[in-house]
Amino acid sequence: MAKVDDFAPKKFSHVLPGEHVYDGILFFGYSPPDTLNLVKNFEVRSDDVILVTYPKAGTTWMQEILWLLMHNGDFDGAMATPVYMRSPFLEFKDLTLNEVGLDLAKRAASPRVIKTHLPMKRVPKQMHDKKPKVIVFFRNPKDVCVSYFNFYRSSSSFGNFRGSWPEFLAMFNEGHVDHGSWFDFTKSWWPLREQPNFKLVFYEDLKKNPFSVIKQVAEFLDKTNLDDVTISRIAAHCSFDKMKENPMTNHSDVYSINSAVSPLLRKGMVGDWKTVFTVKQNEDFDKLYQEKLGHLRIPFTYELDY
């Protein structure tokens, strides 16, 4: 059982509902210590598909793609149940929504598509033994940060953040956000990209070439039975505009998200960070990135030509 750490002296004024520090990582109350303890011993199946993302890295987008691939393009099934119930969030527990990730995952029939935002050290131990297929989905950190800022503002789960953009950027840079440091998360998963049961996918590549990337993911998942027509239908179904309007993917029914402030699916763009970061903030972030992760030479894309 990991230690639930004592709180460090407060540097930032914002407090997450039920916030706690577990194994050195800040969490909101919807990933409580008892759930995080149970995650470590969660029973993994060899035919599971585990989606690993940092928050606001395009998780819902990839969840829908993976679920459709693993269920052979069952669009009727996808339109019958919200994606967050079809693809459980492993370390999440919301009794109001009746969304308890561990329970949903245990009851789910194979093949399961399970998402987590945890760093490598906190995922189920059986992931290393059962060797399920793992999709690690990365998005450039500047767009992640801007998206997370807007989600913090719109969601009561994060305490309806009312601080400034510079304050949130400082919180993000120091890992003082739910699920902790983006830098630590990214550093923990990057070395596993060459393992045969892992596939690293970049958000920006999927945005630029959805059909090609979805087909590559299908091949990795051994879904070679799916023809190009089905792959094209999945790509169309999972376009940003379609998902934003789809009540099974847009989380419009989730009580904690105030879409008038910022919907869950907001812009889905590459490079939106340029509308928020100042020149100085961008320069400072680039310097911090180089200090923390520059040696890894991760090929992030920060702009696309639209």
Side-chain angles (χ1 to χ4, degrees):
M1 182 181 297
K3 178 185 176 186
V4 180
D5 305 328
D6 295 329
F7 289 110
K10 289 291 183 186
K11 181 176 181 179
F12 300 104
S13 60
H14 184 70
V15 178
L16 290 164
E19 79 168 36
H20 61 102
V21 178
Y22 183 97
D23 200 15
I25 303 167
L26 181 68
F27 288 96
F28 62 177
Y30 296 91
S31 294
D34 62 326
T35 295
L36 294 168
N37 286 335
L38 292 170
V39 163
K40 201 65 182 173
N41 294 308
F42 174 73
E43 187 170 343
V44 175
R45 303 172 194 166
S46 59
D47 62 353
D48 283 338
V49 175
I50 310 292
L51 171 60
V52 174
T53 70
Y54 189 78
K56 304 311 295 176
T59 312
T60 304
W61 188 19
M62 184 58 80
Q63 277 179 283
E64 187 74 351
I65 289 169
L66 294 177
W67 192 90
L68 284 166
L69 289 174
M70 294 308 297
H71 292 83
N72 301 309
D74 180 9
F75 296 97
D76 289 340
M79 294 302 295
T81 305
V83 65
Y84 60 82
M85 291 296 185
R86 289 180 277 121
S87 174
F89 180 1
L90 192 60
E91 67 269 22
F92 188 74
K93 182 178 183 180
D94 186 333
L95 297 178
T96 301
L97 272 179
N98 197 26
E99 182 186 354
V100 180
L102 286 165
D103 292 346
L104 289 170
K106 287 174 185 175
R107 294 196 302 264
S110 293
R112 302 183 298 189
V113 176
I114 298 170
K115 89 168 190 184
T116 181
H117 294 320
L118 292 172
M120 194 270 289
K121 68 178 181 177
R122 293 304 325 156
V123 296
K125 291 181 289 188
Q126 289 189 9
M127 276 183 63
H128 306 290
D129 303 322
K130 298 288 185 70
K131 298 193 180 304
K133 295 291 179 72
V134 181
I135 300 289
V136 180
F137 196 37
F138 279 178
R139 184 184 190 184
N140 85 69
K142 296 175 188 178
D143 280 331
V144 166
C145 185
V146 170
S147 184
Y148 213 175
F149 169 60
N150 282 287
F151 198 37
Y152 251 65
R153 292 172 57 243
S154 71
S155 176
S156 62
S157 298
F158 299 101
N160 297 114
F161 180 70
R162 291 296 176 261
S164 66
W165 158 247
E167 180 184 358
F168 184 84
L169 177 58
M171 290 163 54
F172 182 86
N173 288 347
E174 295 196 21
H176 193 81
V177 289
D178 173 53
H179 278 76
S181 167
W182 174 89
F183 297 97
D184 291 346
F185 170 91
T186 302
K187 185 167 57 177
S188 78
W189 288 107
W190 173 248
L192 301 178
R193 67 194 184 282
E194 301 295 342
Q195 294 192 14
N197 64 313
F198 279 74
K199 183 171 181 61
L200 175 64
V201 180
F202 286 94
Y203 178 104
E204 295 79 13
D205 291 342
L206 181 58
K207 190 73 178 176
K208 188 174 182 180
N209 296 301
F211 174 84
S212 175
V213 173
I214 293 171
K215 189 165 185 176
Q216 291 171 24
V217 172
E219 291 170 355
F220 168 74
L221 297 175
D222 298 320
K223 301 303 291 184
T224 53
N225 58 305
L226 299 179
D227 59 22
D228 286 357
V229 172
T230 303
I231 298 294
S232 294
R233 287 189 67 199
I234 292 173
H237 174 91
C238 295
S239 70
F240 182 80
D241 288 343
K242 288 286 183 65
M243 288 189 62
K244 189 177 177 72
E245 297 302 320
N246 180 356
M248 297 298 104
T249 56
N250 65 15
H251 290 56
S252 59
D253 61 326
V254 175
Y255 72 94
S256 59
I257 300 173
N258 183 348
S259 294
V261 174
S262 182
L264 178 80
L265 303 178
R266 192 176 58 92
K267 290 186 177 180
M269 291 178 59
V270 177
D272 185 50
W273 63 269
K274 293 185 294 181
T275 68
V276 181
F277 276 74
T278 66
V279 172
K280 179 69 162 55
Q281 288 167 350
N282 186 45
E283 291 173 347
D284 289 346
F285 187 90
D286 286 345
K287 181 179 178 181
L288 179 65
Y289 179 90
Q290 287 303 316
E291 291 172 356
K292 289 181 173 288
L293 298 184
H295 63 288
L296 298 179
R297 299 184 181 277
I298 304 174
F300 284 113
T301 299
Y302 291 91
E303 298 179 52
L304 286 181
D305 294 328
Y306 285 94

